[in-house]
């Protein structure tokens, strides 16, 4: 389970929420205190979706991350750019990344040798 710290702060009106990855692998989630309670909950769920989908460890356009966090299925290639070494918060995160990559390439993960 990933640790996160929820912070209710006054942000500019156009900023509903933002998540920040900390050095220790935990996250700070900032929610705009100007929002009504129901919208705060929706924004929290959106920010948690970014964390669950490990958007902090992927090199993909923010617009696609936002669509994914809203629940839309977005078909993306998870190859890191040349010279980039992906970082994973856990072995489970690495496994999910490999499974997604294999599914996109139509490969059987169990047939790969490590």
């Amino acid at each position: 389970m990933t640790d996160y710290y929820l912070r209710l702060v006054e942000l500019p009106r156009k900023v509903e929420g933002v998540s920040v990855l900390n050095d220790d692998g935990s996250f700070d989630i900032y929610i705009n205190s100007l929002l009504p309670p129901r919208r705060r909950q929706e924004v929290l769920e959106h920010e948690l979706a970014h964390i669950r989908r490990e958007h902090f460890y992927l090199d993909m356009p923010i617009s696609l991350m936002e669509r994914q966090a809203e629940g839309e299925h977005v078909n993306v290639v998870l190859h890191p750019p040349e010279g980039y070494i992906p970082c994973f918060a856990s072995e489970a995160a690495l496994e999910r990344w490999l499974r997604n990559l294999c599914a996109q390439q139509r490969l059987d993960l169990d047939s790969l040798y490590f």
Side-chain angles (χ1 to χ4, degrees):
M1 174 171 249
T2 302
D3 290 332
Y4 66 89
Y5 303 93
L6 182 60
R7 309 202 188 279
L8 192 60
V9 296
E10 188 172 326
L11 297 169
R13 289 204 176 271
K14 290 186 176 185
V15 179
E16 293 187 316
V18 64
S19 297
V20 177
L21 174 62
N22 298 315
D23 291 338
D24 65 358
S26 68
F27 291 87
D28 285 319
I29 301 175
Y30 298 91
I31 304 293
N32 195 333
S33 62
L34 301 175
L35 297 173
R38 184 178 201 163
R39 184 64 188 144
R40 288 180 196 165
Q41 182 64 38
E42 293 168 351
V43 172
L44 174 60
E45 290 301 321
H46 175 91
E47 294 304 318
L48 290 173
H50 282 301
I51 294 169
R52 279 191 303 272
R53 292 182 174 275
E54 301 181 349
H55 286 159
F56 295 87
Y57 308 103
L58 298 176
D59 182 32
M60 65 189 274
I62 292 174
S63 61
L64 293 179
M65 290 182 194
E66 291 301 322
R67 288 169 46 198
Q68 274 191 338
E70 288 297 322
E72 182 180 339
H73 175 73
V74 178
N75 189 16
V76 295
V77 176
L78 297 176
H79 294 288
E82 189 173 334
Y84 175 80
I85 299 173
C87 176
F88 301 96
S90 66
E91 288 182 17
L94 172 60
E95 181 181 356
R96 282 191 299 275
W97 182 79
L98 286 171
R99 288 193 185 286
N100 285 337
L101 185 61
C102 286
Q104 290 175 355
Q105 300 297 319
R106 293 179 174 76
L107 299 171
D108 179 17
L109 179 64
D110 298 324
S111 68
L112 300 178
Y113 298 98
F114 295 100

